[in-house]
Amino acid sequence: MTTIQFPKDLKWGAATAAYQIEGAANKGGRRPSIWDTFSHTPGNVKNGDNGDEACDSYHRYEEDVQILKELGVDVYRFSISWPRVMKDDEGTLNPEGIAYYRTLIQSLITEGIEPIITLYHWDLPQTLQDIGGWENRETVNAFQTYAEAMFREFGDSVKKWITINEPWCASFLSNYIGVHAPGKQDLQAGIDVAHHLLLAHGRAVESFRGMVPDGEIGYAPNADWLEPYSNSQEDIDACKRDMQWKIEWFMDPVFKGEYPALLQDIFAKHNAYVKVEEGDLETISQPIDFMGINYYSGSIARHKKDNGLFDVEAIWDGYDKTDIGWPVYPEGFYNLLTHIHQLYGDVPIYITENGACYNHEVENGMVNDQERIDYLKQHLTALHRAIKSGVPIKGYILWSLMDNFEWAEGYSKRFGIVHVNYRTFERTKKESYYWYQKVTHNNWFEL
Ligand SMILES: N=NNCCOCCOc1ccc(-c2cn(C[C@@H]3NC[C@@H](O)[C@H]3O)nn2)cc1
């Protein structure tokens, strides 16, 4: 048997996000977010699902903290619901919301689990969307006000912070492709939102340096990996264009202080331009302490003329697929991490999301999700290979602790290592939970 042994200081974690697990959407003074509006609009979310109740973690957080404690993780990554903690967009706190997160944070620390807070995990207050949302530069100011309030309230006990989760999803998937909230299909809107998300990231980092001097802050881009189908320049260039859309478009501004020219030229062909104001890139590119990487899947891909923005076509035939239909592609994880290391050097990296959708149900009190264990083994092996290649990986945070509201897929797609019964909210630890529990305790696993 082969064992995969990780560095002793690697942090093990699990992740969730507010709108996906909390529920209590209209309780405790929470205001509506764009995902409340989007999910309550017929046709946007599978089966008409919404986050009104979700996993009811707002009321069941004590049980969830115990599940985390038994899991043996070092860190728990969760997000703060902006509309739950801010009464308005001018900085007025909602005491009930603040109290909820203070209790959650203290519960985690009491159990020896380090909290990692994500400030923006897509649940923008609807009141800001009503003035244009992230397309409006005013939302950047409101985000900085919110971030400063959170640093003031929780910076004494929380030392690791993530500004923006998956800016590609929150900008292009949501405002150009249109499958996530607010559901626009406008390339210029996607570019404007992406720029303002990066600017909001930079503003929060600026505030953080003065307010939490002993803390660490980063952000969490997502990327997949596209491997050229052939060594033709056409296929190589097609893959490069699509990957730049997730990697360079969101990392060059932060680490190089510029947007990639290749994509700016492509966007210009569609009369879409990034509108950078004086000082924006200086704000965006100030140093951060780590980068989160969210990876799920990838595939080979090839040039296909007039296909989408980048004349590229992913080829998913022949791959094992998860239950959300994405190829199982662990080599892409290794390729992505070493590629990012080559591009940006020794920026410390946390894997802030990696996991798989398998929709097993409870049978005789257990959930046999061997496919998820196999996915995790393959991807942790790829991670181990990347670490051995010199990529500075500081932690692995599994998506997700529990089944939850998977955005436009609703509750039809289960990513958790803990099963959730959405009628009773009963939690059932899956076989993958027990497998991961051994990894977090031993820091190695057997292939
Ligand atoms: N590339 N072009 N696509 C064109 C067609 O896209 C159609 C749909 O696309 C996508 C792409 C990506 C995702 C996605 C979901 N998660 C999982 C969540 N991560 C944050 C956390 O909350 C998890 O729930 N990560 N990524 C969904 C849909």
Side-chain angles (χ1 to χ4, degrees):
M1 248 323 180
T2 305
T3 56
I4 305 289
Q5 173 80 50
F6 289 91
K8 64 181 183 337
D9 57 355
L10 187 82
K11 301 278 189 191
W12 295 101
T16 62
Y19 189 75
Q20 297 183 268
I21 71 162
E22 286 180 3
N26 305 308
K27 303 278 190 328
R30 180 180 177 277
R31 299 184 290 147
S33 76
I34 58 174
W35 268 97
D36 297 88
T37 305
F38 189 76
S39 64
H40 281 269
T41 304
N44 285 339
V45 177
K46 197 163 281 184
N47 304 323
D49 291 340
N50 58 59
D52 289 0
E53 294 188 318
C55 308
D56 195 36
S57 196
Y58 182 77
H59 297 110
R60 298 164 192 266
Y61 68 89
E62 290 164 307
E63 178 183 1
D64 294 337
V65 170
Q66 284 309 306
I67 290 171
L68 283 159
K69 179 186 177 186
E70 290 159 32
L71 183 57
V73 290
D74 305 298
V75 301
Y76 174 48
R77 177 188 176 221
F78 64 95
S79 77
I80 288 180
S81 169
W82 183 350
R84 187 179 292 286
V85 293
M86 307 305 290
K87 259 186 188 167
D88 58 33
D89 302 323
E90 289 74 43
T92 311
L93 295 176
N94 169 26
E96 285 186 88
I98 296 297
Y100 169 70
Y101 291 107
R102 188 177 306 290
T103 305
L104 173 60
I105 289 162
Q106 289 314 316
S107 303
L108 291 165
I109 291 170
T110 300
E111 301 298 356
I113 300 166
E114 180 180 11
I116 299 183
I117 286 178
T118 305
L119 284 165
Y120 187 68
H121 205 123
W122 306 352
D123 43 0
L124 182 74
Q126 182 59 43
T127 46
L128 287 167
Q129 190 63 38
D130 293 343
I131 62 163
W134 286 108
E135 290 184 70
N136 183 342
R137 214 173 157 98
E138 184 48 41
T139 297
V140 177
N141 300 332
F143 178 78
Q144 186 171 17
T145 299
Y146 154 60
E148 289 178 351
M150 296 304 101
F151 298 151
R152 200 172 296 116
E153 290 299 318
F154 305 123
D156 59 337
S157 45
V158 179
K159 300 303 179 186
K160 283 192 184 64
W161 294 73
I162 291 165
T163 53
I164 308 290
N165 184 67
E166 297 189 349
W168 180 86
C169 287
S171 54
F172 291 109
L173 184 62
S174 305
N175 293 277
Y176 170 57
I177 297 167
V179 298
H180 280 192
K184 289 190 74 165
Q185 293 187 309
D186 177 326
L187 181 58
Q188 187 59 58
I191 293 169
D192 293 345
V193 168
H195 184 63
H196 290 152
L197 285 168
L198 288 171
L199 190 55
H201 157 81
R203 295 275 200 80
V205 175
E206 268 174 357
S207 301
F208 185 79
R209 292 303 180 213
M211 299 179 75
V212 192
D214 59 341
E216 295 175 32
I217 194 163
Y219 71 140
N222 63 296
D224 43 17
W225 182 264
L226 296 182
E227 189 68 24
Y229 172 71
S230 78
N231 59 10
S232 72
Q233 200 56 49
E234 264 195 344
D235 288 350
I236 291 168
D237 291 348
C239 291
K240 183 177 171 185
R241 289 190 293 268
D242 191 285
M243 287 212 297
Q244 284 211 6
W245 195 21
K246 283 104 175 204
I247 300 172
E248 282 90 335
W249 193 262
F250 292 97
M251 297 180 195
D252 278 11
V254 173
F255 298 111
K256 297 182 176 178
E258 62 186 22
Y259 280 99
L262 175 67
L263 290 190
Q264 290 191 70
D265 294 345
I266 293 171
F267 292 151
K269 292 190 176 84
H270 298 267
N271 296 316
Y273 306 86
V274 58
K275 297 168 233 167
V276 180
E277 294 189 14
E278 181 70 29
D280 285 358
L281 286 165
E282 288 72 21
T283 298
I284 292 170
S285 62
Q286 62 196 286
I288 55 176
D289 304 296
F290 64 86
M291 173 162 53
I293 294 291
N294 294 0
Y295 175 85
Y296 289 91
S297 181
S299 69
I300 55 174
R302 64 186 164 204
H303 176 264
K304 184 176 181 183
K305 188 162 171 37
D306 300 333
N307 193 46
L309 273 177
F310 305 115
D311 297 342
V312 65
E313 172 188 48
I315 305 164
W316 285 7
D317 299 345
Y319 292 100
D320 290 340
K321 308 279 194 316
T322 65
D323 286 349
I324 199 169
W326 300 346
V328 177
Y329 195 55
E331 47 273 58
F333 197 19
Y334 171 79
N335 290 340
L336 175 66
L337 291 171
T338 49
H339 179 63
I340 287 170
H341 189 214
Q342 285 158 11
L343 289 176
Y344 304 106
D346 287 336
V347 177
I349 292 174
Y350 282 85
I351 305 305
T352 34
E353 286 178 33
N354 174 248
C357 169
Y358 289 104
N359 296 327
H360 304 86
E361 291 295 349
V362 179
E363 286 181 29
N364 304 318
M366 61 180 287
V367 181
N368 179 7
D369 59 338
Q370 184 59 45
E371 293 92 333
R372 180 173 285 105
I373 294 171
D374 294 342
Y375 175 101
L376 293 173
K377 281 185 175 180
Q378 291 173 289
H379 287 75
L380 286 174
T381 301
L383 181 69
H384 181 262
R385 204 176 140 218
I387 292 169
K388 290 293 181 194
S389 304
V391 182
I393 305 287
K394 299 301 174 190
Y396 175 87
I397 303 173
L398 187 151
W399 185 269
S400 177
L401 173 67
M402 69 182 85
D403 296 335
N404 58 56
F405 177 79
E406 179 50 39
W407 308 113
E409 299 291 340
Y411 300 103
S412 71
K413 302 294 184 293
R414 294 178 177 271
F415 276 86
I417 57 174
V418 175
H419 179 278
V420 175
N421 177 318
Y422 294 114
R423 190 172 45 77
T424 66
F425 303 118
E426 183 181 9
R427 277 82 163 133
T428 305
K429 296 167 185 133
K430 302 181 186 177
E431 289 306 297
S432 56
Y433 173 96
Y434 296 109
W435 181 83
Y436 192 54
Q437 185 182 51
K438 283 189 288 188
V439 178
T440 65
H441 283 93
N442 298 336
N443 211 34
W444 57 265
F445 65 91
E446 281 186 338
L447 269 181

